Amino acid sequence: MNAAMEAVVVASSSRWAWRWGGMCWGVIGTAVAGGVAAALYWAMCIAGSAERRGKRAMELGGGSLSRAEVAGNYREYATFFEKPKQIKKLDNVPKLVDTFYNLVTDIYEWGWGQSFHFSPAVPGKSHRDQTRLHEEMVADLLQLKAGHKVLDAGCGVGGPMRAIAAHSGANVVGVTINDYQVARARNHNKKAHLDHLCEVICGNFLQMPFPADTFDGAYSIEATCHAPQLRDVYAEIYRVLKPGQLYVTYEWVTTPRYCADNPEHVEIMHGIEHGDALPGIRSFNQIGEIANEVGFEVLQNRDLALPPAHPWWTRLKMGRLAYYRNHLVIALLSFLGIAPQGIVEVHEMLFKTALDLTRGGETGIFTPMHLLVCRKPAASQ
Ligand SMILES: C=C(CC[C@@H](C)[C@H]1CC[C@H]2C3=CC[C@H]4[C@H](C)[C@@H](O)CC[C@]4(C)[C@H]3CC[C@]12C)C(C)C
Ligand SMILES: C[S@@+](CC[C@H](N)C(=O)[O-])C[C@H]1O[C@@H](n2cnc3c(N)ncnc32)[C@H](O)[C@@H]1O
């Protein structure tokens, strides 16, 4: 082979190698892009981080708000906590709570499930079972039976109401201040074939549209913490309950370990108030007194989070990786214009509150499950 031929052979083989290399990179590139697309599809459409998916990431929105209103409503919500005087205007609170649930309901359903509360961890049980057991305990404490009519004050999208109706056979009437939650709850009730037992209305639990002495039982799960004055919601529940009947509530309170002079404790509690639309968290020793003041006999008054119960906040800690994945998914959907502007900020607020709630649990200064079992005396006073 002379030099010229050698040059031709080298050139053509290097061109071939170049083309072959290019093809390989093309195939690898396509495979990687396909993999990324599949992973995103999985994260957005298939994997509902919640155990019982109610929502897909592609469907995340701002509740009853239009897409254009989400960012502005979030800014308004955040400002509320920057000017503490506003939160002191107690009349503002129900509107603030309604806005909050427009902003978070879809994210809660997508990332947590249809029950918007915590539960004590139970070794060997799934989150779904732990949630159900915590809800069924309410039905058992109320001694509910088929034919009873029970009030769920602050019902969310109805996870607890469905568990309680299915467990006891009782009729449940749920009240929530947020009309988007009403629509979601009714839809879930129908899908679960429990709409003959479960009914939902939009209203303020401080002024409910029911005559006095209507219900055979009443409960509230992690909801009355939103009331500007606990006395007002307890008094209203007392009014609508039949004499001799029971009210069970799981309350968000500070525990005996909370010290108002400790700046770290104060910072944690402010963080929780801001991230959860709370007008001010009450202390464990106030709630029983308030129940007594409105006329209830208090039969049980104890923190369900105390040992031997296992920590309720482990579910928040275990989800750390999932939060980052969720953040990526939400940021991408918002960038693509699929999710509304402002939703990334809402998600960041929830991420921050998850850290504060975990700190509240680990330091032992906060519980979301202080149990009160109350009875309206048989001869109503
Ligand atoms: C009782 C209330 C709500 C209690 C809980 C149901 C919610 C409190 C904090 C929420 C969450 C925090 C982090 C979110 C995460 C960043 C996101 O990726 C997925 C959803 C979260 C896990 C979200 C779920 C619901 C909470 C645990 C209050 C409001 C009185
Ligand atoms: C954290 S969610 C808990 C929902 C439900 N109990 C559950 O465990 O899934 C709090 C609920 O209280 C409702 N709520 C708060 N303030 C209210 C008010 N003033 N009147 C009626 N509902 C209210 C909210 O709309 C929301 O549904």
Side-chain angles (χ1 to χ4, degrees):
M1 209 189 291
N2 62 28
M5 274 175 76
E6 226 171 72
V8 169
V9 170
V10 168
S12 72
S13 65
S14 73
R15 227 176 287 134
W16 183 85
W18 177 250
R19 244 186 250 142
W20 175 244
M23 252 168 63
C24 283
W25 281 116
V27 170
I28 292 170
T30 314
V32 169
V36 169
L40 281 174
Y41 177 76
W42 172 82
M44 290 182 196
C45 308
I46 299 170
S49 21
E51 294 204 338
R52 270 166 77 205
R53 229 177 330 127
K55 272 273 157 188
R56 291 185 182 151
M58 303 290 271
E59 300 160 344
L60 292 178
S64 299
L65 302 172
S66 71
R67 294 171 59 82
E69 288 171 327
V70 172
N73 272 260
Y74 172 70
R75 269 196 301 278
E76 208 179 299
Y77 174 83
T79 324
F80 215 84
F81 287 88
E82 284 154 19
K83 297 185 190 151
K85 267 196 194 145
Q86 287 204 39
I87 198 97
K88 298 279 178 261
K89 282 194 201 145
L90 302 179
D91 291 351
N92 286 342
V93 174
K95 168 79 186 69
L96 172 93
V97 171
D98 181 30
T99 302
F100 174 79
Y101 281 106
N102 275 329
L103 296 171
V104 304
T105 294
D106 278 356
I107 302 183
Y108 275 19
E109 273 202 56
W110 173 58
W112 197 256
Q114 295 174 13
S115 293
F116 296 173
H117 63 78
F118 294 101
S119 313
V122 184
K125 297 260 182 221
S126 65
H127 292 143
R128 189 169 163 175
D129 283 346
Q130 292 169 12
T131 305
R132 188 180 42 78
L133 289 172
H134 198 49
E135 294 167 346
E136 289 178 357
M137 184 174 161
V138 171
D140 294 341
L141 286 166
L142 288 172
Q143 299 158 30
L144 293 181
K145 307 218 160 30
H148 282 167
K149 184 172 175 170
V150 60
L151 169 72
D152 181 338
C155 64
V157 299
M161 114 182 342
R162 286 181 286 283
I164 286 169
H167 181 66
S168 66
N171 296 280
V172 189
V173 180
V175 178
T176 166
I177 196 137
N178 181 262
D179 57 3
Y180 179 68
Q181 290 190 337
V182 173
R184 295 291 302 159
R186 285 182 180 157
N187 196 24
H188 292 316
N189 289 346
K190 222 177 245 164
K191 277 195 185 155
H193 305 292
L194 285 165
D195 47 335
H196 61 296
L197 290 180
C198 299
E199 189 187 329
V200 189
I201 64 157
C202 192
N204 186 344
F205 55 35
L206 303 172
Q207 287 164 313
M208 289 185 276
F210 308 117
D213 306 344
T214 298
F215 292 98
D216 303 299
Y219 66 90
S220 50
I221 300 185
E222 302 188 23
T224 53
C225 48
H226 289 297
Q229 300 278 13
L230 192 62
R231 184 171 288 97
D232 294 345
V233 57
Y234 280 5
E236 185 62 353
I237 290 169
Y238 182 93
R239 183 184 71 80
V240 299
L241 202 54
K242 287 181 184 164
Q245 303 307 322
L246 298 175
Y247 167 50
V248 167
T249 182
Y250 293 160
E251 293 291 341
W252 279 35
V253 289
T254 55
T255 69
R257 288 204 187 176
Y258 175 74
C259 173
D261 298 329
N262 181 328
E264 193 201 345
H265 289 187
V266 174
E267 185 213 322
I268 295 173
M269 296 319 296
H270 280 165
I272 294 177
E273 286 166 8
H274 182 155
D276 298 279
L278 303 177
I281 297 178
R282 288 162 269 260
S283 153
F284 75 99
N285 53 8
Q286 290 176 303
I287 56 176
E289 279 172 21
I290 296 173
N292 277 145
E293 279 166 26
V294 306
F296 281 120
E297 283 169 43
V298 177
L299 308 180
Q300 289 196 49
N301 184 347
R302 62 194 171 92
D303 182 3
L304 297 177
L306 287 176
H310 292 265
W312 54 267
W313 60 92
T314 45
R315 184 173 174 192
L316 282 174
K317 282 187 89 164
M318 277 159 44
R320 201 64 72 84
L321 258 182
Y323 302 156
Y324 293 124
R325 179 203 59 198
N326 290 355
H327 179 77
L328 272 178
V329 169
I330 287 183
L332 184 72
L333 288 172
S334 177
F335 175 75
L336 294 174
I338 297 170
Q341 296 281 309
I343 200 156
V344 176
E345 288 76 7
V346 175
H347 189 256
E348 270 165 12
M349 173 186 80
L350 293 181
F351 182 72
K352 157 102 183 40
T353 208
L355 299 179
D356 286 324
L357 286 161
T358 306
R359 285 169 78 199
E362 283 177 340
T363 51
I365 64 170
F366 165 76
T367 177
M369 51 187 74
H370 193 108
L371 167 76
L372 285 189
V373 181
C374 307
R375 188 196 305 279
K376 177 169 173 174
S380 175
Q381 289 149 8

